[in-house]
Amino acid sequence: MRNLLYIIVGILFGIIMVKSEAVSWFRIQEMFRFQSFHMYGIICSAIVVGVISMQLIKRFNTRSIDNTPISPKAHLGLYRSRIIGGLLFGLGWALTGACPGPLFVNLGAGYTVMIAAIGAAVLGALVHGLLRKKLPL
């Protein structure tokens, strides 16, 4: 029953992504060319929702799906790994026109070419998992 709730929330998230045009390759290209505020507005809205959500999680001691307390880390460590990871993420985003969430939304919308991007993303996650202990913090 609980998993059904997450599936429904995922479907609603997908509908919102499509209706807001956040999964549109053209909108993402506009963003990377600084031609439109559309995607920046969506990203800023997501940041505001994220900040509010984190405050609610902290205040109400929210638990994860496996009933463990969610405790955000106060210290994130070195920035070098985050800069390298962010650059790789941005490169993949610019090349495919979608970040991980919209990949699945686009596939659900019928863009079967996204299967290649999803395969590449899964392969990247697999390689990261294999090399994780050897990577800088």
Side-chain angles (χ1 to χ4, degrees):
M1 184 66 184
R2 194 171 184 174
N3 289 338
L4 181 63
L5 177 66
Y6 292 114
I7 291 171
I8 291 170
V9 170
I11 290 170
L12 287 174
F13 178 71
I15 291 170
I16 291 169
M17 296 280 285
V18 170
K19 292 296 183 185
S20 69
E21 298 182 9
V23 295
S24 168
W25 184 86
F26 297 105
R27 289 288 186 190
I28 292 169
Q29 290 301 311
E30 284 178 342
M31 176 185 71
F32 282 115
R33 293 180 180 169
F34 301 104
Q35 295 174 334
S36 172
F37 183 76
H38 187 92
M39 287 298 293
Y40 295 111
I42 291 172
I43 291 169
C44 288
S45 299
I47 290 171
V48 169
V49 170
V51 168
I52 292 169
S53 299
M54 289 304 295
Q55 292 303 315
L56 291 174
I57 287 170
K58 287 179 182 177
R59 290 220 175 130
F60 296 108
N61 296 322
T62 305
R63 295 183 169 268
S64 68
I65 192 169
D66 59 353
N67 205 25
T68 56
I70 298 173
S71 57
K73 295 180 181 175
H75 180 61
L76 297 176
L78 298 176
Y79 290 102
R80 185 175 59 177
S81 61
R82 283 164 181 80
I83 291 171
I84 294 170
L87 288 172
L88 290 172
F89 180 84
L91 179 65
W93 193 9
L95 288 174
T96 63
C99 59
L103 287 177
F104 291 99
V105 173
N106 277 324
L107 181 63
Y111 298 108
T112 55
V113 71
M114 288 297 164
I115 291 173
I118 290 170
V122 170
L123 181 65
L126 192 70
V127 169
H128 177 266
L130 292 173
L131 299 176
R132 185 175 182 183
K133 292 181 180 176
K134 297 177 182 176
L135 296 173
L137 183 62

